[in-house]
């Protein structure tokens, strides 16, 4: 799974189809992402200037959150 280095959103691209130098754009935050290397895939944001987008949304893909909720449930069982 290729994810956006800026907002961690999964990108709808196949890792195997990426080439070094390709430029993608993130649907979530609109960042332009250049493929810095493949295997492993590394993306770098092209718009480092004016990084104002701090509205990270961790709700979608946070596996840790499940753990936290499990613990909470256990407490409620007391
Ligand atoms: Zn993004």
């Amino acid at each position: 799974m290729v994810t956006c280095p800026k907002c961690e959103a999964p990108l709808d691209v196949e890792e195997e189809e990426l080439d070094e130098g390709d430029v993608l754009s993130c649907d979530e935050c609109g960042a332009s992402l250049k493929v810095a290397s493949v295997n492993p895939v590394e993306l770098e944001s092209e718009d480092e200037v004016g990084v104002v987008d701090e509205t990270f949304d961790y709700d979608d893909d946070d596996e840790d959150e499940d753990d936290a909720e499990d613990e909470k449930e256990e407490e409620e069982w007391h």
Side-chain angles (χ1 to χ4, degrees), residues 3-9 11 25-31 33 53:
T3 56
C4 173
K6 291 193 78 176
C7 71
E8 311 290 333
L11 300 175
S25 65
C26 172
D27 288 338
E28 286 297 318
C29 69
L33 306 170
D53 195 349

Side-chain angles (χ1 to χ4, degrees), residues 10-22:
L11 300 175
D12 189 21
V13 293
E14 298 294 329
E15 275 180 56
E16 305 86 60
E17 291 179 7
L18 294 176
D19 286 316
E20 207 173 308
D22 278 358

Side-chain angles (χ1 to χ4, degrees), residues 59-75:
D59 287 341
D60 293 338
D61 56 344
D62 198 341
E63 288 171 22
D64 292 340
E65 234 172 63
D66 290 338
D67 292 341
E69 274 173 30
D70 286 346
E71 282 169 29
K72 217 187 289 170
E73 269 174 39
E74 275 172 34
E75 277 175 33

Side-chain angles (χ1 to χ4, degrees), residues 19-65:
D19 286 316
E20 207 173 308
D22 278 358
V23 177
L24 317 166
S25 65
C26 172
D27 288 338
E28 286 297 318
C29 69
S32 294
L33 306 170
K34 196 168 113 189
V35 180
S37 69
V38 292
N39 200 18
V41 174
E42 271 186 55
L43 301 177
E44 62 184 26
S45 170
E46 288 225 301
D47 50 4
E48 291 296 322
V49 193
V51 179
V52 193
D53 195 349
E54 300 259 319
T55 53
F56 294 136
D57 186 1
Y58 288 115
D59 287 341
D60 293 338
D61 56 344
D62 198 341
E63 288 171 22
D64 292 340
E65 234 172 63

